[in-house]
């Protein structure tokens, strides 16, 4: 497993200065988001403009016109009745909002718009008329926190005194019997769908708290709040919610539930046009915005092309774990602190690019220059990605062509299937949950693979152009944007302020139901190919090939596009406090940075408390990460610090980190009673839960607490920032 973050759990160490008696999750998350926002304002503002545009990758950026931020005014001017707000971290919530808007407009004939929640002034919520509807599609990020683009809205809505457009109003608690004038949102009608993951403690906290807060401020929910579980089937949860959502939606707006005129023909969201006359220097070849190293500040919208070095931490065998050293010394505005994450922007592999291009009949057109413009008034952006561009650039850099395709997308393709047999095959996958689960979901088949599967002869390779009748605008509409992959930084900013270290295991596996197929991790295999390009004796013929030079050769197999995401996974301010870290596998990555930081402080003559690392892997001679570094580091830290290892395959009986924790339980409890901070990094679904139960057990066994008291004790450690997790599922 790599340190790739699906939904890292983070909680601010800044809370250690706040004394909590009993605190609710709402107050905790509001305080966390306030601290997170105030501490990271500079980072959030970098490159905040849209990454879409017409200025070419080599051209200077154009001055942006002033944008109207009063969404109510826009809705009135354009006669829109519904607005779909999204708070999205990886693009899924944005996709869901767009899909809802499309159905709202095309099936029910209701004029609507989608809106990135950070681009509008949400203080105007109190002026949205009762005959309109606001729909919030909100993902939960981290430890019950809002996504980056929703932080400003969260700060507004969670304020004790909410400053809406008409006047500041005290929101109070939802239990309070507030007079009507204290409910500024009493004319707002809204719907909510949340995206979360049940392996995390604060499942769908943002959607739940938003619902509670809007209600407390006088707003009225339409229908039931929806919640999607990414650990189960987020897509199925979303489809199930829509079944009850649309009837409530239609009833609230007085719309015919059967739809506007019945089954209407599909109306494209985008128009795709071939560009015959163009300036080659102004065609986007995969640039996310401005790739030139002479541009404005680097960040999420303007990643930095950083040079790097790499080495394989595993010796021998089929598995590889890369240690990357990424140089940020030339970046403008990029800096990190120990415990932060680095985002690496991936590239899709040539195999999947060629597969999808072939089945769509685009193999001979890959380098054709095209423009893609929004024609659906409900579209949230004028362009889905920078244009003009090429089909090849869209497949390689902009569209997530390797992700499993959704049932809803498959249903939209049925009418374009060229034969009755291929139509039926697509329809079956789109409507039969078990068939979809077996052949797409658990098999992890992407769009190109599914279209190959649905050709008439069910061969392994579709005939070129078999599905050429599928409009490219539908492909663009259906596939998500390719997103960066986040990794825990495994270096210390104190010792290496401009060098970011990454620890990542290459991912390649055979799904249980299709053991003859190999699924390759998008980014880790790209990194392995980049590594191989710098170490000429490595054979990579067994994995897909990638374009390593990047747009206009700016990467040239020696650079990676990166930016930094600040986290709240931080060491205590008081260096003298004990630290207990649990990180099996690549979960040790941030703790390498922590240990280097503590050792540096010790060398500087500062007082440093006991530093305990519980580390687990398979075998000490196969995958013991950084085995050569730990002895010197812990010698520097002193006798009260140590690394405690668990090797699951060294003996017949498997030993995991929680077992070693239990062996040292009494000492760990003594450190906890002396104010120790606990850090856990790695798998959320099993390891993190088992480790938490182990600490609850310590409170029972050594603290003399009941099970309920022990659980409350650990919850209090969390709420005060003394139990922090950075985990993924």
């Amino acid at each position: 497993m790599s340190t790739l973050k699906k939904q890292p759990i983070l909680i601010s160490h800044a809370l250690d200065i706040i004394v909590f008696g009993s605190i609710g999750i709402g107050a905790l998350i509001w305080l966390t988001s306030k601290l997170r926002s105030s501490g990271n304002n500079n980072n959030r503002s970098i490159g905040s403009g849209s990454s879409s545009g017409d200025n070419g990758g080599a051209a200077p950026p154009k001055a942006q016109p002033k944008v109207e931020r009063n969404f109510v005014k826009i809705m009135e001017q354009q006669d829109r009745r519904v607005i779909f707000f999204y708070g999205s971290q990886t693009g899924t919530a944005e996709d869901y909002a767009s899909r809802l808007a499309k159905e709202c407009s095309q099936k029910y004939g209701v004029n609507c718009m989608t809106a990135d929640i950070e681009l509008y002034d949400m203080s105007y919520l109190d002026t949205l008329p009762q005959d309109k509807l606001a729909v919030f599609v909100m993902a939960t990020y981290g430890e019950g926190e809002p996504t980056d683009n929703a932080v400003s809205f969260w700060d507004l809505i969670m304020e004790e005194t909410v400053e809406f457009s008409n006047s500041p109003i005290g929101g109070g608690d939802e239990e309070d019997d507030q007079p009507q004038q204290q409910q500024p949102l009493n004319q707002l009608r809204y719907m909510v769908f949340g995206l979360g993951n049940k392996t995390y403690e604060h499942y769908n906290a943002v959607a739940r708290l938003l619902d509670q807060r809007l209600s407390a401020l006088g707003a009225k929910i339409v229908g039931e709040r929806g919640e999607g579980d990414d650990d189960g089937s987020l897509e199925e949860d979303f489809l199930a919610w829509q079944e009850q959502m649309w009837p409530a939606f239609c009833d609230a707006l007085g719309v015919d539930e059967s739809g506007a005129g019945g089954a209407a023909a599909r109306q494209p969201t985008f128009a795709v046009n071939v560009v015959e006359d163009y300036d080659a220097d102004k065609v986007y070849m995969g640039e996310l915005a401005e790739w030139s190293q002479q541009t404005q500040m680097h960040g999420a919208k303007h990643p930095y092309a950083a040079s790097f070095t790499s080495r394989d931490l595993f010796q021998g065998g089929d598995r590889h774990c890369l240690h990357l050293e990424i140089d940020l010394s030339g970046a403008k505005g990029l800096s990190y602190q120990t415990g932060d994450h680095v985002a690496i922007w991936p590239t899709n592999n040539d195999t999947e690019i060629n597969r999808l291009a072939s089945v769509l009949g685009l193999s001979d057109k890959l380098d054709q220059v095209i423009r893609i413009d929004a024609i659906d008034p409900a579209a949230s952006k004028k362009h889905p990605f920078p244009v003009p561009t090429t089909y090849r650039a869209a497949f390689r850099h902009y569209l997530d062509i390797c992700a499993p395709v959704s049932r809803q997308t498959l249903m939209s393709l049925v009418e374009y299937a060229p034969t009755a047999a291929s139509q039926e095959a697509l329809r079956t996958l789109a409507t039969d949950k078990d068939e979809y689960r077996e052949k797409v979901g658990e098999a992890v088949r992407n769009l190109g693979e599914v279209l190959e599967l649905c050709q008439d002869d069910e061969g392994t390779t579709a005939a070129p152009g078999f599905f050429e009748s599928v409009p490219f605008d539908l492909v663009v509409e259906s596939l998500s944007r390719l997103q960066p992959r986040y990794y825990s930084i495994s270096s210390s900013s104190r010792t290496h302020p401009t060098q970011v270290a990454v620890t990542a295991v290459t991912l390649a596996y055979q799904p249980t139901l299709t053991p003859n197929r190999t699924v390759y991790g998008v980014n880790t295999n790209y990194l392995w190919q980049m590594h191989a390009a710098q170490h000429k004796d490595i054979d990579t013929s067994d994995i897909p090939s990638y374009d390593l030079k990047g747009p206009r050769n700016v990467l040239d197999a020696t650079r990676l596009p990166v930016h930094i995401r600040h986290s709240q996974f931080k060491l205590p301010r008081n260096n003298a406090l004990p630290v207990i870290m649990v990180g099996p596998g690549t979960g040790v990555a941030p703790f390498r940075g922590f240990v280097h930081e503590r050792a540096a402080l010790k060398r500087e003559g500062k007082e440093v408390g006991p530093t305990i690392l519980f580390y687990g892997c398979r075998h000490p001679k196969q995958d013991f990460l950084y085995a050569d570094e730990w002895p010197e580091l812990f010698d520097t830290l002193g006798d009260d610090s140590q690394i405690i290892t668990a090797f699951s395959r060294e003996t017949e009986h498997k030993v995991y980190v929680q077992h070693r924790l239990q062996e040292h339980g009494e000492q760990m409890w003594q450190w906890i009673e002396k104010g120790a901070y606990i850090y856990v990094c790695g798998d959320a679904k099993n390891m993190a839960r088992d480790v938490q139960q182990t600490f609850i057990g310590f409170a029972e066994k050594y603290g003399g607490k009941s099970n309920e008291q022990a659980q409350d004790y650990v919850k209090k450690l969390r709420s005060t920032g003394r139990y922090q997790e950075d985990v993924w599922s």
Side-chain angles (χ1 to χ4, degrees):
M1 179 179 291
S2 76
T3 49
L4 172 64
K5 301 299 171 198
K6 192 167 185 182
Q7 185 187 5
I9 288 186
L10 315 165
I11 184 166
S12 176
H13 77 298
L15 296 179
D16 62 2
I17 61 172
I18 301 173
V19 179
F20 292 95
S22 175
I23 184 167
I25 182 175
L28 170 61
I29 292 176
W30 173 75
L31 284 165
T32 300
S33 65
K34 286 293 288 180
L35 289 164
R36 179 169 175 257
S37 178
S38 63
N40 296 331
N41 278 341
N42 291 336
N43 180 62
R44 293 183 187 283
S45 65
I46 293 174
S48 60
S50 172
S51 63
S52 299
D54 296 325
N55 54 312
K62 296 179 181 178
Q64 297 298 314
K66 185 177 180 181
V67 177
E68 174 61 62
R69 300 192 69 233
N70 184 344
F71 63 90
V72 177
K73 183 177 180 180
I74 294 173
M75 293 178 72
E76 290 174 347
Q77 291 173 343
Q78 301 179 3
D79 194 28
R80 303 183 190 272
R81 299 186 63 191
V82 183
I83 184 166
F84 293 89
F85 290 109
Y86 58 84
S88 187
Q89 192 72 23
T90 63
T92 306
E94 179 180 357
D95 288 345
Y96 283 0
S98 297
R99 285 162 58 177
L100 289 170
K102 187 174 181 65
E103 189 160 358
C104 170
S105 174
Q106 297 191 6
K107 182 175 180 179
Y108 298 105
V110 176
N111 198 4
C112 63
M113 63 183 288
T114 54
D116 182 336
I117 206 164
E118 76 174 338
L119 299 182
Y120 296 92
D121 185 346
M122 298 303 290
S123 70
Y124 287 101
L125 266 181
D126 62 334
T127 65
L128 191 68
Q130 281 186 321
D131 62 346
K132 300 186 186 297
L133 185 65
V135 182
F136 296 88
V137 184
M138 307 294 290
T140 294
Y141 163 76
E143 183 101 342
E145 295 178 79
T147 57
D148 287 350
N149 75 318
V151 168
S152 294
F153 170 59
W154 202 248
D155 291 345
L156 168 74
I157 203 73
M158 290 297 170
E159 287 281 6
E160 181 177 354
T161 300
V162 188
E163 296 185 3
F164 286 114
S165 62
N166 288 330
S167 61
I169 301 289
D173 297 325
E174 65 175 320
E175 292 86 359
D176 293 347
D177 183 16
Q178 301 180 42
Q180 187 70 17
Q181 62 268 25
Q182 294 299 308
Q183 294 190 321
L185 301 184
N186 55 26
Q187 68 178 11
L188 174 67
R189 295 189 300 171
Y190 70 96
M191 307 182 92
V192 178
F193 181 80
L195 295 79
N197 188 307
K198 282 186 176 177
T199 61
Y200 302 119
E201 180 176 2
H202 301 305
Y203 171 64
N204 258 311
V206 166
R208 294 178 179 183
L209 285 167
L210 176 60
D211 185 10
Q212 294 173 11
R213 187 61 171 153
L214 291 175
S215 177
L217 293 169
K220 303 295 187 292
I221 191 169
V222 173
E224 298 293 329
R225 181 183 69 243
E227 295 183 353
D229 176 20
D230 195 36
D231 186 53
S233 177
L234 184 62
E235 177 72 13
E236 294 300 330
D237 293 338
F238 179 61
L239 294 176
W241 175 69
Q242 287 187 77
E243 290 181 3
Q244 58 84 24
M245 168 264 187
W246 287 119
F249 172 94
C250 292
D251 181 63
L253 295 179
V255 174
D256 184 357
E257 190 178 334
S258 63
R266 171 182 174 263
Q267 300 174 31
T269 300
F270 301 103
V272 180
N273 295 296
V274 174
V275 180
E276 301 290 353
D277 184 17
Y278 57 87
D279 181 346
D281 289 336
K282 295 187 177 181
V283 175
Y284 282 88
M285 305 305 292
E287 295 90 345
L288 298 169
E290 294 289 334
W291 278 76
S292 167
Q293 300 303 293
Q294 305 302 318
T295 64
Q296 59 183 293
M297 306 291 277
H298 292 102
K301 302 294 175 65
H302 298 269
Y304 174 61
S307 61
F308 73 99
T309 59
S310 59
R311 58 189 172 97
D312 188 359
L313 298 178
F314 292 168
Q315 300 301 318
D318 297 329
R319 301 171 68 228
H320 305 288
C321 182
L322 285 175
H323 175 85
L324 306 177
E325 292 283 348
I326 301 172
D327 184 7
L328 299 182
S329 59
K332 295 185 177 181
L334 281 191
S335 63
Y336 81 100
Q337 295 179 332
T338 307
D340 283 346
H341 301 138
V342 61
I344 300 178
W345 290 81
T347 292
N348 287 317
N349 69 70
D350 293 335
T351 300
E352 298 308 326
I353 293 169
N354 293 331
R355 184 199 309 275
L356 186 55
S358 175
V359 75
L360 293 175
L362 295 173
S363 296
D364 296 334
K365 302 177 182 178
L366 281 172
D367 295 311
Q368 198 169 60
V369 177
I370 56 175
R371 279 188 62 90
I372 306 172
D373 301 285
I375 56 177
D376 187 337
S380 60
K381 299 174 181 176
K382 293 182 179 179
H383 316 285
F385 37 76
V387 295
T389 187
T390 66
Y391 289 110
R392 190 187 303 276
F395 286 148
R396 176 170 283 153
H397 298 287
Y398 297 140
L399 294 173
D400 193 0
I401 66 173
C402 294
V405 60
S406 70
R407 285 203 296 131
Q408 190 165 343
T409 293
L410 294 179
M411 180 57 76
S412 71
L413 297 173
V414 170
E415 65 176 294
Y416 300 102
T419 64
S422 56
Q423 278 190 339
E424 185 57 31
L426 280 172
R427 183 177 287 107
T428 299
L429 289 176
T431 57
D432 188 322
K433 292 182 181 180
D434 292 334
E435 188 79 359
Y436 173 85
R437 176 188 57 79
E438 178 181 336
K439 292 186 176 180
V440 182
E442 294 186 7
V444 198
R445 278 194 170 98
N446 58 46
L447 176 59
E449 290 176 308
V450 170
L451 292 180
E452 283 186 342
L453 190 68
C454 291
Q455 65 178 331
D456 291 352
D457 61 4
E458 294 191 0
T460 56
T461 303
F466 188 81
F467 279 94
E468 64 182 357
S469 54
V470 174
F472 186 67
D473 66 88
L474 178 56
V475 175
V476 173
E477 178 186 322
S478 301
L479 298 183
S480 302
R481 278 292 302 270
L482 188 60
Q483 298 291 329
R485 272 47 174 176
Y486 293 94
Y487 299 85
S488 296
I489 293 177
S490 51
S491 54
S492 162
S493 58
R494 193 177 197 88
T495 59
H496 297 84
T498 61
Q499 292 287 124
V500 168
V502 170
T503 311
V505 169
T506 56
L507 178 64
Y509 63 95
Q510 291 74 40
T512 303
L513 297 179
T514 57
N516 295 325
R517 292 174 56 252
T518 300
V519 176
Y520 296 95
V522 173
N523 197 49
T524 56
N525 287 279
Y526 169 57
L527 294 177
W528 181 249
Q529 285 280 16
M530 293 284 272
H531 168 76
Q534 297 187 15
H535 301 76
K536 306 299 183 182
D537 58 341
I538 296 177
D539 180 14
T540 59
S541 59
D542 58 336
I543 67 172
S545 63
Y546 293 79
D547 169 44
L548 305 182
K549 292 185 178 297
R552 292 186 173 82
N553 298 329
V554 71
L555 301 179
D556 196 28
T558 63
R559 293 177 176 271
L560 293 169
V562 303
H563 72 269
I564 298 298
R565 181 174 70 187
H566 297 306
S567 84
Q568 308 305 320
F569 195 69
K570 295 290 184 284
L571 287 165
R573 284 189 178 84
N574 184 351
N575 301 318
L577 289 174
V579 166
I580 302 169
M581 300 168 287
V582 184
T586 52
V588 79
F591 302 141
R592 177 180 181 266
F594 281 13
V595 173
H596 273 275
E597 182 110 345
R598 304 266 283 187
L601 289 167
K602 189 81 170 183
R603 285 192 292 268
E604 294 169 11
K606 294 182 171 59
E607 182 182 1
V608 177
T611 304
I612 312 298
L613 170 61
F614 288 88
Y615 172 72
C617 64
R618 296 181 182 182
H619 196 279
K621 294 182 178 180
Q622 295 175 0
D623 55 357
F624 188 175
L625 298 179
Y626 306 111
D628 57 331
E629 297 183 14
W630 302 122
E632 181 181 350
L633 289 167
F634 281 100
D635 282 347
T636 300
L637 287 167
D639 294 338
D640 57 359
S641 298
Q642 62 178 318
I643 179 173
I644 300 170
T645 55
F647 302 118
S648 63
R649 299 189 184 180
E650 184 181 29
T651 61
E652 190 172 313
H653 177 67
K654 291 186 177 181
V655 178
Y656 297 115
V657 285
Q658 60 266 30
H659 300 138
R660 301 309 307 271
L661 259 175
Q662 291 165 4
E663 294 172 12
H664 296 267
E666 188 170 4
Q667 178 62 75
M668 294 308 103
W669 179 252
Q670 291 176 10
W671 292 138
I672 292 170
E673 288 289 87
K674 292 180 180 180
Y677 274 53
I678 300 167
Y679 300 89
V680 182
C681 183
D683 168 52
K685 192 170 186 178
N686 298 307
M687 182 277 298
R689 287 183 175 180
D690 291 342
V691 168
Q692 177 175 291
Q693 287 302 315
T694 300
F695 281 109
I696 290 173
F698 292 167
E700 292 182 76
K701 183 175 181 179
Y702 304 111
K705 303 179 186 298
S706 67
N707 181 261
E708 183 177 355
Q709 290 172 330
Q711 291 190 50
D712 288 341
Y713 181 86
V714 172
K715 285 182 179 179
K716 187 175 181 180
L717 290 179
R718 286 181 176 275
S719 70
T720 55
R722 286 181 54 201
Y723 193 117
Q724 301 182 32
E725 292 182 326
D726 184 357
V727 299
W728 60 90
S729 64

mmCIF file of all heavy atoms in Angstrom, residues 480-491:
data_model
loop_
_atom_site.group_PDB
_atom_site.id
_atom_site.type_symbol
_atom_site.label_atom_id
_atom_site.label_comp_id
_atom_site.label_asym_id
_atom_site.label_seq_id
_atom_site.Cartn_x
_atom_site.Cartn_y
_atom_site.Cartn_z
ATOM 1 N N SER A 480 -14.759 11.988 -14.939
ATOM 2 C CA SER A 480 -14.270 13.013 -14.014
ATOM 3 C C SER A 480 -12.932 13.561 -14.494
ATOM 4 O O SER A 480 -12.240 12.952 -15.312
ATOM 5 C CB SER A 480 -14.096 12.418 -12.614
ATOM 6 O OG SER A 480 -15.304 11.887 -12.125
ATOM 7 N N ARG A 481 -12.578 14.720 -13.948
ATOM 8 C CA ARG A 481 -11.244 15.260 -14.204
ATOM 9 C C ARG A 481 -10.205 14.410 -13.490
ATOM 10 O O ARG A 481 -10.425 13.932 -12.372
ATOM 11 C CB ARG A 481 -11.143 16.695 -13.691
ATOM 12 C CG ARG A 481 -11.695 17.762 -14.618
ATOM 13 C CD ARG A 481 -10.889 17.948 -15.882
ATOM 14 N NE ARG A 481 -9.502 18.285 -15.617
ATOM 15 C CZ ARG A 481 -9.043 19.518 -15.481
ATOM 16 N NH1 ARG A 481 -9.869 20.543 -15.582
ATOM 17 N NH2 ARG A 481 -7.758 19.741 -15.261
ATOM 18 N N LEU A 482 -9.060 14.226 -14.119
ATOM 19 C CA LEU A 482 -7.946 13.521 -13.487
ATOM 20 C C LEU A 482 -7.430 14.372 -12.334
ATOM 21 O O LEU A 482 -7.126 15.557 -12.508
ATOM 22 C CB LEU A 482 -6.846 13.275 -14.521
ATOM 23 C CG LEU A 482 -5.675 12.388 -14.092
ATOM 24 C CD1 LEU A 482 -6.155 11.001 -13.705
ATOM 25 C CD2 LEU A 482 -4.643 12.295 -15.217
ATOM 26 N N GLN A 483 -7.354 13.775 -11.143
ATOM 27 C CA GLN A 483 -7.015 14.516 -9.938
ATOM 28 C C GLN A 483 -5.607 14.179 -9.451
ATOM 29 O O GLN A 483 -5.072 13.107 -9.737
ATOM 30 C CB GLN A 483 -8.020 14.181 -8.830
ATOM 31 C CG GLN A 483 -9.445 14.574 -9.143
ATOM 32 C CD GLN A 483 -9.657 16.066 -9.168
ATOM 33 O OE1 GLN A 483 -8.984 16.806 -8.451
ATOM 34 N NE2 GLN A 483 -10.593 16.531 -9.991
ATOM 35 N N PRO A 484 -5.000 15.085 -8.676
ATOM 36 C CA PRO A 484 -3.686 14.776 -8.096
ATOM 37 C C PRO A 484 -3.800 13.682 -7.051
ATOM 38 O O PRO A 484 -4.870 13.467 -6.470
ATOM 39 C CB PRO A 484 -3.258 16.102 -7.471
ATOM 40 C CG PRO A 484 -4.553 16.786 -7.148
ATOM 41 C CD PRO A 484 -5.491 16.403 -8.257
ATOM 42 N N ARG A 485 -2.699 13.003 -6.814
ATOM 43 C CA ARG A 485 -2.616 11.998 -5.751
ATOM 44 C C ARG A 485 -1.823 12.605 -4.594
ATOM 45 O O ARG A 485 -0.769 13.192 -4.800
ATOM 46 C CB ARG A 485 -1.924 10.734 -6.247
ATOM 47 C CG ARG A 485 -2.823 9.688 -6.887
ATOM 48 C CD ARG A 485 -3.798 10.187 -7.909
ATOM 49 N NE ARG A 485 -4.518 9.070 -8.554
ATOM 50 C CZ ARG A 485 -5.472 9.200 -9.435
ATOM 51 N NH1 ARG A 485 -5.861 10.418 -9.815
ATOM 52 N NH2 ARG A 485 -6.065 8.148 -9.968
ATOM 53 N N TYR A 486 -2.342 12.430 -3.373
ATOM 54 C CA TYR A 486 -1.729 13.037 -2.197
ATOM 55 C C TYR A 486 -0.939 11.998 -1.402
ATOM 56 O O TYR A 486 -1.399 10.879 -1.190
ATOM 57 C CB TYR A 486 -2.796 13.668 -1.303
ATOM 58 C CG TYR A 486 -3.467 14.864 -1.930
ATOM 59 C CD1 TYR A 486 -4.652 14.732 -2.640
ATOM 60 C CD2 TYR A 486 -2.890 16.131 -1.835
ATOM 61 C CE1 TYR A 486 -5.259 15.836 -3.238
ATOM 62 C CE2 TYR A 486 -3.492 17.228 -2.421
ATOM 63 C CZ TYR A 486 -4.675 17.078 -3.117
ATOM 64 O OH TYR A 486 -5.268 18.171 -3.708
ATOM 65 N N TYR A 487 0.235 12.402 -0.942
ATOM 66 C CA TYR A 487 1.110 11.525 -0.165
ATOM 67 C C TYR A 487 1.571 12.237 1.102
ATOM 68 O O TYR A 487 1.872 13.438 1.080
ATOM 69 C CB TYR A 487 2.339 11.121 -0.995
ATOM 70 C CG TYR A 487 1.998 10.354 -2.255
ATOM 71 C CD1 TYR A 487 1.675 11.036 -3.425
ATOM 72 C CD2 TYR A 487 1.971 8.970 -2.266
ATOM 73 C CE1 TYR A 487 1.343 10.343 -4.583
ATOM 74 C CE2 TYR A 487 1.647 8.273 -3.416
ATOM 75 C CZ TYR A 487 1.329 8.963 -4.569
ATOM 76 O OH TYR A 487 0.988 8.277 -5.714
ATOM 77 N N SER A 488 1.643 11.478 2.186
ATOM 78 C CA SER A 488 2.220 12.031 3.413
ATOM 79 C C SER A 488 3.688 12.347 3.155
ATOM 80 O O SER A 488 4.416 11.530 2.591
ATOM 81 C CB SER A 488 2.125 11.007 4.549
ATOM 82 O OG SER A 488 0.795 10.713 4.874
ATOM 83 N N ILE A 489 4.106 13.519 3.574
ATOM 84 C CA ILE A 489 5.506 13.897 3.399
ATOM 85 C C ILE A 489 6.346 13.191 4.461
ATOM 86 O O ILE A 489 6.039 13.266 5.652
ATOM 87 C CB ILE A 489 5.666 15.426 3.487
ATOM 88 C CG1 ILE A 489 4.975 16.085 2.283
ATOM 89 C CG2 ILE A 489 7.132 15.824 3.552
ATOM 90 C CD1 ILE A 489 4.997 17.597 2.305
ATOM 91 N N SER A 490 7.396 12.515 4.009
ATOM 92 C CA SER A 490 8.209 11.704 4.935
ATOM 93 C C SER A 490 9.541 12.371 5.256
ATOM 94 O O SER A 490 10.529 11.683 5.524
ATOM 95 C CB SER A 490 8.424 10.302 4.359
ATOM 96 O OG SER A 490 8.902 10.350 3.027
ATOM 97 N N SER A 491 9.571 13.692 5.235
ATOM 98 C CA SER A 491 10.777 14.428 5.607
ATOM 99 C C SER A 491 10.421 15.503 6.618
ATOM 100 O O SER A 491 9.243 15.803 6.839
ATOM 101 C CB SER A 491 11.434 15.054 4.367
ATOM 102 O OG SER A 491 10.507 15.858 3.653
#
